[in-house]
Amino acid sequence: MASPEDFQEGKVVLIDKPLTWSSFQAVNKVKWALKKHLNLKKIKVGHAGTLDPLATGLLIVCTGKFTKRIMELQGMPKEYTGTFMLGGTTPSFDLETEVNTIFPTEHITEALIHDTLPQFLGEIDQQPPVFSAIKKDGKRLYEHARAGEEVEIAFRKTTIHEFEITRIALPEIDFRVVCSKGTYIRSLASDFGKALNSGAHLTVLRRTKIGEFSVEDAISPQAFEDEVTVSA
């Protein structure tokens, strides 16, 4: 484990964010551990790219002077794995909200799934979910959504570098995707369902890579605190 001075000079800490934790909670756990166990009363800590509470996986946490690198790290391509559930949609495009519309799936075959996939490769237009943190008229979109307010959400350009189906067990589809900054996998799930003349929502999401950083080299927030405690 690095010394207190190392963390002040700048370290990149790879955290495997647990399910239901917010990115803010994970960063706070790292910061609290550094303050308590290494006596770092003033230490800058930030993350390079939010993960939703219902997602797990790689969260890059920067300390000290390395917080200046956050924008650079955020711009790197990201890899995700997960599961789409076909046949139903939710307002949030994931499990944050209940299924509100059911669609037919009897016509969906493995061949149709694989034939549909190429239209999502390269630069695509994507509409962010209404349950997202993007600001509109001074409020987060999810605040509008929870208040029952309808808002117009502009489409954005995003790039899907790689997209593959890794398992088909209808109505579930497992996938791996490599994409640019600003891509919403929840929106990808919704759009993929529409392209199949059905509906879909995201049930599992795990971020596995950011640039050359891999979740295989990451540790849990608790494991980080344990390491800091031992080195203190």
Side-chain angles (χ1 to χ4, degrees), residues 96-126:
E96 183 182 343
T97 54
E98 298 290 327
V99 172
N100 63 345
T101 310
I102 302 297
F103 294 86
T105 58
E106 294 81 5
H107 65 285
I108 299 176
T109 62
E110 291 195 14
L112 177 61
I113 291 168
H114 288 297
D115 288 346
T116 301
L117 190 147
Q119 66 185 267
F120 292 93
L121 284 167
E123 186 177 75
I124 62 171
D125 289 314
Q126 187 180 76

PDB file of all heavy atoms in Angstrom, residues 96-126:
ATOM      1  N   GLU A  96     -34.924   0.088 -11.966  1.00  0.00           N
ATOM      2  CA  GLU A  96     -35.265   1.118 -10.979  1.00  0.00           C
ATOM      3  C   GLU A  96     -36.775   1.298 -10.899  1.00  0.00           C
ATOM      4  O   GLU A  96     -37.311   1.645  -9.849  1.00  0.00           O
ATOM      5  CB  GLU A  96     -34.597   2.449 -11.335  1.00  0.00           C
ATOM      6  CG  GLU A  96     -34.852   3.542 -10.292  1.00  0.00           C
ATOM      7  CD  GLU A  96     -34.227   4.874 -10.656  1.00  0.00           C
ATOM      8  OE1 GLU A  96     -33.341   4.910 -11.532  1.00  0.00           O
ATOM      9  OE2 GLU A  96     -34.628   5.885 -10.052  1.00  0.00           O
ATOM     10  N   THR A  97     -37.459   1.072 -12.014  1.00  0.00           N
ATOM     11  CA  THR A  97     -38.913   1.188 -12.050  1.00  0.00           C
ATOM     12  C   THR A  97     -39.522  -0.123 -12.559  1.00  0.00           C
ATOM     13  O   THR A  97     -38.840  -0.962 -13.140  1.00  0.00           O
ATOM     14  CB  THR A  97     -39.346   2.349 -12.969  1.00  0.00           C
ATOM     15  OG1 THR A  97     -38.736   2.175 -14.261  1.00  0.00           O
ATOM     16  CG2 THR A  97     -38.916   3.695 -12.391  1.00  0.00           C
ATOM     17  N   GLU A  98     -40.828  -0.285 -12.320  1.00  0.00           N
ATOM     18  CA  GLU A  98     -41.522  -1.519 -12.686  1.00  0.00           C
ATOM     19  C   GLU A  98     -41.829  -1.567 -14.190  1.00  0.00           C
ATOM     20  O   GLU A  98     -41.950  -0.533 -14.856  1.00  0.00           O
ATOM     21  CB  GLU A  98     -42.844  -1.620 -11.910  1.00  0.00           C
ATOM     22  CG  GLU A  98     -42.687  -1.682 -10.393  1.00  0.00           C
ATOM     23  CD  GLU A  98     -42.084  -2.988  -9.934  1.00  0.00           C
ATOM     24  OE1 GLU A  98     -42.358  -4.024 -10.583  1.00  0.00           O
ATOM     25  OE2 GLU A  98     -41.346  -2.982  -8.932  1.00  0.00           O
ATOM     26  N   VAL A  99     -41.983  -2.789 -14.704  1.00  0.00           N
ATOM     27  CA  VAL A  99     -42.398  -2.978 -16.096  1.00  0.00           C
ATOM     28  C   VAL A  99     -43.781  -2.354 -16.290  1.00  0.00           C
ATOM     29  O   VAL A  99     -44.702  -2.610 -15.517  1.00  0.00           O
ATOM     30  CB  VAL A  99     -42.433  -4.476 -16.462  1.00  0.00           C
ATOM     31  CG1 VAL A  99     -43.047  -4.681 -17.846  1.00  0.00           C
ATOM     32  CG2 VAL A  99     -41.035  -5.074 -16.408  1.00  0.00           C
ATOM     33  N   ASN A 100     -43.897  -1.510 -17.323  1.00  0.00           N
ATOM     34  CA  ASN A 100     -45.170  -0.823 -17.555  1.00  0.00           C
ATOM     35  C   ASN A 100     -45.826  -1.177 -18.882  1.00  0.00           C
ATOM     36  O   ASN A 100     -46.990  -0.869 -19.098  1.00  0.00           O
ATOM     37  CB  ASN A 100     -44.994   0.700 -17.455  1.00  0.00           C
ATOM     38  CG  ASN A 100     -44.060   1.254 -18.515  1.00  0.00           C
ATOM     39  OD1 ASN A 100     -43.312   0.523 -19.159  1.00  0.00           O
ATOM     40  ND2 ASN A 100     -44.085   2.563 -18.712  1.00  0.00           N
ATOM     41  N   THR A 101     -45.077  -1.820 -19.789  1.00  0.00           N
ATOM     42  CA  THR A 101     -45.648  -2.231 -21.069  1.00  0.00           C
ATOM     43  C   THR A 101     -45.065  -3.587 -21.472  1.00  0.00           C
ATOM     44  O   THR A 101     -43.858  -3.798 -21.366  1.00  0.00           O
ATOM     45  CB  THR A 101     -45.343  -1.197 -22.183  1.00  0.00           C
ATOM     46  OG1 THR A 101     -45.694   0.117 -21.734  1.00  0.00           O
ATOM     47  CG2 THR A 101     -46.146  -1.521 -23.436  1.00  0.00           C
ATOM     48  N   ILE A 102     -45.944  -4.480 -21.935  1.00  0.00           N
ATOM     49  CA  ILE A 102     -45.529  -5.810 -22.376  1.00  0.00           C
ATOM     50  C   ILE A 102     -45.605  -5.876 -23.900  1.00  0.00           C
ATOM     51  O   ILE A 102     -46.547  -5.354 -24.507  1.00  0.00           O
ATOM     52  CB  ILE A 102     -46.434  -6.902 -21.758  1.00  0.00           C
ATOM     53  CG1 ILE A 102     -46.393  -6.838 -20.220  1.00  0.00           C
ATOM     54  CG2 ILE A 102     -46.019  -8.286 -22.251  1.00  0.00           C
ATOM     55  CD1 ILE A 102     -45.032  -7.118 -19.627  1.00  0.00           C
ATOM     56  N   PHE A 103     -44.602  -6.521 -24.517  1.00  0.00           N
ATOM     57  CA  PHE A 103     -44.535  -6.651 -25.968  1.00  0.00           C
ATOM     58  C   PHE A 103     -44.382  -8.119 -26.356  1.00  0.00           C
ATOM     59  O   PHE A 103     -43.853  -8.923 -25.577  1.00  0.00           O
ATOM     60  CB  PHE A 103     -43.338  -5.870 -26.521  1.00  0.00           C
ATOM     61  CG  PHE A 103     -43.438  -4.379 -26.355  1.00  0.00           C
ATOM     62  CD1 PHE A 103     -43.016  -3.764 -25.187  1.00  0.00           C
ATOM     63  CD2 PHE A 103     -43.966  -3.588 -27.365  1.00  0.00           C
ATOM     64  CE1 PHE A 103     -43.109  -2.386 -25.026  1.00  0.00           C
ATOM     65  CE2 PHE A 103     -44.056  -2.216 -27.222  1.00  0.00           C
ATOM     66  CZ  PHE A 103     -43.635  -1.608 -26.052  1.00  0.00           C
ATOM     67  N   PRO A 104     -44.792  -8.483 -27.561  1.00  0.00           N
ATOM     68  CA  PRO A 104     -44.626  -9.869 -28.024  1.00  0.00           C
ATOM     69  C   PRO A 104     -43.153 -10.208 -28.265  1.00  0.00           C
ATOM     70  O   PRO A 104     -42.356  -9.332 -28.619  1.00  0.00           O
ATOM     71  CB  PRO A 104     -45.416  -9.911 -29.337  1.00  0.00           C
ATOM     72  CG  PRO A 104     -45.461  -8.489 -29.810  1.00  0.00           C
ATOM     73  CD  PRO A 104     -45.484  -7.647 -28.569  1.00  0.00           C
ATOM     74  N   THR A 105     -42.822 -11.463 -28.048  1.00  0.00           N
ATOM     75  CA  THR A 105     -41.442 -11.926 -28.295  1.00  0.00           C
ATOM     76  C   THR A 105     -41.416 -13.198 -29.143  1.00  0.00           C
ATOM     77  O   THR A 105     -40.336 -13.685 -29.488  1.00  0.00           O
ATOM     78  CB  THR A 105     -40.718 -12.224 -26.958  1.00  0.00           C
ATOM     79  OG1 THR A 105     -41.468 -13.216 -26.230  1.00  0.00           O
ATOM     80  CG2 THR A 105     -40.586 -10.975 -26.098  1.00  0.00           C
ATOM     81  N   GLU A 106     -42.606 -13.719 -29.490  1.00  0.00           N
ATOM     82  CA  GLU A 106     -42.673 -14.998 -30.197  1.00  0.00           C
ATOM     83  C   GLU A 106     -41.938 -14.965 -31.537  1.00  0.00           C
ATOM     84  O   GLU A 106     -41.440 -15.997 -32.009  1.00  0.00           O
ATOM     85  CB  GLU A 106     -44.142 -15.401 -30.441  1.00  0.00           C
ATOM     86  CG  GLU A 106     -44.928 -15.704 -29.184  1.00  0.00           C
ATOM     87  CD  GLU A 106     -45.440 -14.459 -28.471  1.00  0.00           C
ATOM     88  OE1 GLU A 106     -45.256 -13.338 -29.024  1.00  0.00           O
ATOM     89  OE2 GLU A 106     -45.994 -14.581 -27.362  1.00  0.00           O
ATOM     90  N   HIS A 107     -41.860 -13.787 -32.135  1.00  0.00           N
ATOM     91  CA  HIS A 107     -41.232 -13.665 -33.458  1.00  0.00           C
ATOM     92  C   HIS A 107     -39.719 -13.539 -33.383  1.00  0.00           C
ATOM     93  O   HIS A 107     -39.039 -13.594 -34.412  1.00  0.00           O
ATOM     94  CB  HIS A 107     -41.789 -12.432 -34.180  1.00  0.00           C
ATOM     95  CG  HIS A 107     -41.426 -11.141 -33.493  1.00  0.00           C
ATOM     96  ND1 HIS A 107     -42.039 -10.720 -32.326  1.00  0.00           N
ATOM     97  CD2 HIS A 107     -40.510 -10.180 -33.793  1.00  0.00           C
ATOM     98  CE1 HIS A 107     -41.518  -9.556 -31.949  1.00  0.00           C
ATOM     99  NE2 HIS A 107     -40.594  -9.213 -32.813  1.00  0.00           N
ATOM    100  N   ILE A 108     -39.177 -13.368 -32.178  1.00  0.00           N
ATOM    101  CA  ILE A 108     -37.736 -13.121 -32.044  1.00  0.00           C
ATOM    102  C   ILE A 108     -36.960 -14.429 -32.106  1.00  0.00           C
ATOM    103  O   ILE A 108     -37.200 -15.355 -31.322  1.00  0.00           O
ATOM    104  CB  ILE A 108     -37.433 -12.379 -30.722  1.00  0.00           C
ATOM    105  CG1 ILE A 108     -38.144 -11.016 -30.715  1.00  0.00           C
ATOM    106  CG2 ILE A 108     -35.929 -12.187 -30.555  1.00  0.00           C
ATOM    107  CD1 ILE A 108     -37.991 -10.248 -29.408  1.00  0.00           C
ATOM    108  N   THR A 109     -36.024 -14.498 -33.044  1.00  0.00           N
ATOM    109  CA  THR A 109     -35.157 -15.663 -33.196  1.00  0.00           C
ATOM    110  C   THR A 109     -33.705 -15.244 -33.007  1.00  0.00           C
ATOM    111  O   THR A 109     -33.390 -14.051 -33.017  1.00  0.00           O
ATOM    112  CB  THR A 109     -35.305 -16.265 -34.605  1.00  0.00           C
ATOM    113  OG1 THR A 109     -34.880 -15.270 -35.573  1.00  0.00           O
ATOM    114  CG2 THR A 109     -36.753 -16.656 -34.885  1.00  0.00           C
ATOM    115  N   GLU A 110     -32.840 -16.213 -32.864  1.00  0.00           N
ATOM    116  CA  GLU A 110     -31.419 -15.915 -32.742  1.00  0.00           C
ATOM    117  C   GLU A 110     -30.921 -15.206 -33.999  1.00  0.00           C
ATOM    118  O   GLU A 110     -30.108 -14.271 -33.920  1.00  0.00           O
ATOM    119  CB  GLU A 110     -30.619 -17.195 -32.490  1.00  0.00           C
ATOM    120  CG  GLU A 110     -30.862 -17.800 -31.112  1.00  0.00           C
ATOM    121  CD  GLU A 110     -29.820 -18.846 -30.737  1.00  0.00           C
ATOM    122  OE1 GLU A 110     -28.764 -18.911 -31.417  1.00  0.00           O
ATOM    123  OE2 GLU A 110     -30.040 -19.581 -29.756  1.00  0.00           O
ATOM    124  N   ALA A 111     -31.416 -15.616 -35.142  1.00  0.00           N
ATOM    125  CA  ALA A 111     -30.998 -14.994 -36.403  1.00  0.00           C
ATOM    126  C   ALA A 111     -31.423 -13.529 -36.442  1.00  0.00           C
ATOM    127  O   ALA A 111     -30.641 -12.659 -36.861  1.00  0.00           O
ATOM    128  CB  ALA A 111     -31.613 -15.750 -37.578  1.00  0.00           C
ATOM    129  N   LEU A 112     -32.645 -13.220 -35.991  1.00  0.00           N
ATOM    130  CA  LEU A 112     -33.117 -11.834 -35.970  1.00  0.00           C
ATOM    131  C   LEU A 112     -32.262 -10.993 -35.036  1.00  0.00           C
ATOM    132  O   LEU A 112     -31.909  -9.846 -35.368  1.00  0.00           O
ATOM    133  CB  LEU A 112     -34.581 -11.777 -35.531  1.00  0.00           C
ATOM    134  CG  LEU A 112     -35.187 -10.368 -35.402  1.00  0.00           C
ATOM    135  CD1 LEU A 112     -35.164  -9.643 -36.740  1.00  0.00           C
ATOM    136  CD2 LEU A 112     -36.607 -10.446 -34.841  1.00  0.00           C
ATOM    137  N   ILE A 113     -31.899 -11.540 -33.898  1.00  0.00           N
ATOM    138  CA  ILE A 113     -31.063 -10.810 -32.934  1.00  0.00           C
ATOM    139  C   ILE A 113     -29.717 -10.455 -33.562  1.00  0.00           C
ATOM    140  O   ILE A 113     -29.259  -9.304 -33.489  1.00  0.00           O
ATOM    141  CB  ILE A 113     -30.876 -11.648 -31.644  1.00  0.00           C
ATOM    142  CG1 ILE A 113     -32.204 -11.734 -30.877  1.00  0.00           C
ATOM    143  CG2 ILE A 113     -29.780 -11.047 -30.765  1.00  0.00           C
ATOM    144  CD1 ILE A 113     -32.201 -12.755 -29.757  1.00  0.00           C
ATOM    145  N   HIS A 114     -29.085 -11.448 -34.180  1.00  0.00           N
ATOM    146  CA  HIS A 114     -27.765 -11.202 -34.775  1.00  0.00           C
ATOM    147  C   HIS A 114     -27.851 -10.288 -36.004  1.00  0.00           C
ATOM    148  O   HIS A 114     -26.930  -9.503 -36.250  1.00  0.00           O
ATOM    149  CB  HIS A 114     -27.115 -12.538 -35.147  1.00  0.00           C
ATOM    150  CG  HIS A 114     -26.644 -13.328 -33.958  1.00  0.00           C
ATOM    151  ND1 HIS A 114     -25.658 -12.877 -33.105  1.00  0.00           N
ATOM    152  CD2 HIS A 114     -27.046 -14.529 -33.463  1.00  0.00           C
ATOM    153  CE1 HIS A 114     -25.456 -13.777 -32.150  1.00  0.00           C
ATOM    154  NE2 HIS A 114     -26.283 -14.780 -32.335  1.00  0.00           N
ATOM    155  N   ASP A 115     -28.961 -10.366 -36.739  1.00  0.00           N
ATOM    156  CA  ASP A 115     -29.135  -9.498 -37.908  1.00  0.00           C
ATOM    157  C   ASP A 115     -29.392  -8.043 -37.491  1.00  0.00           C
ATOM    158  O   ASP A 115     -29.083  -7.112 -38.250  1.00  0.00           O
ATOM    159  CB  ASP A 115     -30.307  -9.984 -38.771  1.00  0.00           C
ATOM    160  CG  ASP A 115     -29.985 -11.277 -39.518  1.00  0.00           C
ATOM    161  OD1 ASP A 115     -28.786 -11.642 -39.583  1.00  0.00           O
ATOM    162  OD2 ASP A 115     -30.929 -11.932 -39.998  1.00  0.00           O
ATOM    163  N   THR A 116     -29.953  -7.855 -36.318  1.00  0.00           N
ATOM    164  CA  THR A 116     -30.298  -6.517 -35.832  1.00  0.00           C
ATOM    165  C   THR A 116     -29.076  -5.794 -35.257  1.00  0.00           C
ATOM    166  O   THR A 116     -28.981  -4.567 -35.311  1.00  0.00           O
ATOM    167  CB  THR A 116     -31.394  -6.609 -34.752  1.00  0.00           C
ATOM    168  OG1 THR A 116     -32.547  -7.251 -35.313  1.00  0.00           O
ATOM    169  CG2 THR A 116     -31.794  -5.246 -34.218  1.00  0.00           C
ATOM    170  N   LEU A 117     -28.146  -6.549 -34.740  1.00  0.00           N
ATOM    171  CA  LEU A 117     -27.003  -5.980 -34.024  1.00  0.00           C
ATOM    172  C   LEU A 117     -26.183  -4.968 -34.823  1.00  0.00           C
ATOM    173  O   LEU A 117     -25.833  -3.910 -34.288  1.00  0.00           O
ATOM    174  CB  LEU A 117     -26.119  -7.130 -33.510  1.00  0.00           C
ATOM    175  CG  LEU A 117     -25.001  -6.770 -32.544  1.00  0.00           C
ATOM    176  CD1 LEU A 117     -24.790  -7.908 -31.553  1.00  0.00           C
ATOM    177  CD2 LEU A 117     -23.693  -6.526 -33.280  1.00  0.00           C
ATOM    178  N   PRO A 118     -25.849  -5.222 -36.108  1.00  0.00           N
ATOM    179  CA  PRO A 118     -24.955  -4.297 -36.822  1.00  0.00           C
ATOM    180  C   PRO A 118     -25.442  -2.856 -36.906  1.00  0.00           C
ATOM    181  O   PRO A 118     -24.627  -1.935 -37.008  1.00  0.00           O
ATOM    182  CB  PRO A 118     -24.864  -4.933 -38.223  1.00  0.00           C
ATOM    183  CG  PRO A 118     -25.122  -6.381 -37.995  1.00  0.00           C
ATOM    184  CD  PRO A 118     -26.152  -6.424 -36.915  1.00  0.00           C
ATOM    185  N   GLN A 119     -26.761  -2.612 -36.846  1.00  0.00           N
ATOM    186  CA  GLN A 119     -27.254  -1.237 -36.955  1.00  0.00           C
ATOM    187  C   GLN A 119     -26.885  -0.386 -35.743  1.00  0.00           C
ATOM    188  O   GLN A 119     -27.048   0.831 -35.766  1.00  0.00           O
ATOM    189  CB  GLN A 119     -28.771  -1.220 -37.174  1.00  0.00           C
ATOM    190  CG  GLN A 119     -29.603  -1.730 -36.033  1.00  0.00           C
ATOM    191  CD  GLN A 119     -31.080  -1.789 -36.386  1.00  0.00           C
ATOM    192  OE1 GLN A 119     -31.820  -0.850 -36.136  1.00  0.00           O
ATOM    193  NE2 GLN A 119     -31.495  -2.896 -36.996  1.00  0.00           N
ATOM    194  N   PHE A 120     -26.382  -1.037 -34.692  1.00  0.00           N
ATOM    195  CA  PHE A 120     -25.982  -0.306 -33.496  1.00  0.00           C
ATOM    196  C   PHE A 120     -24.466  -0.117 -33.405  1.00  0.00           C
ATOM    197  O   PHE A 120     -23.967   0.359 -32.386  1.00  0.00           O
ATOM    198  CB  PHE A 120     -26.505  -1.014 -32.239  1.00  0.00           C
ATOM    199  CG  PHE A 120     -27.999  -0.954 -32.113  1.00  0.00           C
ATOM    200  CD1 PHE A 120     -28.791  -1.972 -32.603  1.00  0.00           C
ATOM    201  CD2 PHE A 120     -28.614   0.159 -31.548  1.00  0.00           C
ATOM    202  CE1 PHE A 120     -30.171  -1.902 -32.506  1.00  0.00           C
ATOM    203  CE2 PHE A 120     -29.989   0.240 -31.451  1.00  0.00           C
ATOM    204  CZ  PHE A 120     -30.773  -0.792 -31.934  1.00  0.00           C
ATOM    205  N   LEU A 121     -23.741  -0.487 -34.435  1.00  0.00           N
ATOM    206  CA  LEU A 121     -22.289  -0.302 -34.440  1.00  0.00           C
ATOM    207  C   LEU A 121     -21.920   1.027 -35.098  1.00  0.00           C
ATOM    208  O   LEU A 121     -22.604   1.492 -36.010  1.00  0.00           O
ATOM    209  CB  LEU A 121     -21.618  -1.454 -35.188  1.00  0.00           C
ATOM    210  CG  LEU A 121     -21.527  -2.785 -34.427  1.00  0.00           C
ATOM    211  CD1 LEU A 121     -21.135  -3.912 -35.368  1.00  0.00           C
ATOM    212  CD2 LEU A 121     -20.533  -2.685 -33.275  1.00  0.00           C
ATOM    213  N   GLY A 122     -20.848   1.639 -34.618  1.00  0.00           N
ATOM    214  CA  GLY A 122     -20.417   2.920 -35.161  1.00  0.00           C
ATOM    215  C   GLY A 122     -21.105   4.076 -34.464  1.00  0.00           C
ATOM    216  O   GLY A 122     -21.587   3.949 -33.336  1.00  0.00           O
ATOM    217  N   GLU A 123     -21.156   5.226 -35.141  1.00  0.00           N
ATOM    218  CA  GLU A 123     -21.798   6.406 -34.544  1.00  0.00           C
ATOM    219  C   GLU A 123     -23.311   6.272 -34.668  1.00  0.00           C
ATOM    220  O   GLU A 123     -23.836   6.015 -35.749  1.00  0.00           O
ATOM    221  CB  GLU A 123     -21.333   7.679 -35.248  1.00  0.00           C
ATOM    222  CG  GLU A 123     -21.845   8.948 -34.574  1.00  0.00           C
ATOM    223  CD  GLU A 123     -21.328  10.223 -35.229  1.00  0.00           C
ATOM    224  OE1 GLU A 123     -21.841  10.549 -36.332  1.00  0.00           O
ATOM    225  OE2 GLU A 123     -20.437  10.879 -34.676  1.00  0.00           O
ATOM    226  N   ILE A 124     -24.004   6.451 -33.541  1.00  0.00           N
ATOM    227  CA  ILE A 124     -25.457   6.341 -33.520  1.00  0.00           C
ATOM    228  C   ILE A 124     -26.051   7.544 -32.787  1.00  0.00           C
ATOM    229  O   ILE A 124     -25.362   8.234 -32.039  1.00  0.00           O
ATOM    230  CB  ILE A 124     -25.929   5.039 -32.820  1.00  0.00           C
ATOM    231  CG1 ILE A 124     -25.485   5.015 -31.338  1.00  0.00           C
ATOM    232  CG2 ILE A 124     -25.423   3.805 -33.557  1.00  0.00           C
ATOM    233  CD1 ILE A 124     -26.089   3.866 -30.544  1.00  0.00           C
ATOM    234  N   ASP A 125     -27.328   7.798 -33.049  1.00  0.00           N
ATOM    235  CA  ASP A 125     -28.070   8.809 -32.298  1.00  0.00           C
ATOM    236  C   ASP A 125     -28.763   8.115 -31.136  1.00  0.00           C
ATOM    237  O   ASP A 125     -29.455   7.111 -31.334  1.00  0.00           O
ATOM    238  CB  ASP A 125     -29.117   9.487 -33.187  1.00  0.00           C
ATOM    239  CG  ASP A 125     -28.475  10.386 -34.226  1.00  0.00           C
ATOM    240  OD1 ASP A 125     -27.574  11.157 -33.862  1.00  0.00           O
ATOM    241  OD2 ASP A 125     -28.877  10.310 -35.399  1.00  0.00           O
ATOM    242  N   GLN A 126     -28.572   8.650 -29.946  1.00  0.00           N
ATOM    243  CA  GLN A 126     -29.138   8.014 -28.760  1.00  0.00           C
ATOM    244  C   GLN A 126     -29.838   9.060 -27.901  1.00  0.00           C
ATOM    245  O   GLN A 126     -29.313  10.152 -27.675  1.00  0.00           O
ATOM    246  CB  GLN A 126     -28.040   7.321 -27.953  1.00  0.00           C
ATOM    247  CG  GLN A 126     -28.555   6.499 -26.796  1.00  0.00           C
ATOM    248  CD  GLN A 126     -27.438   5.828 -26.008  1.00  0.00           C
ATOM    249  OE1 GLN A 126     -26.747   6.476 -25.244  1.00  0.00           O
ATOM    250  NE2 GLN A 126     -27.253   4.532 -26.214  1.00  0.00           N
TER     251      GLN A 126
END
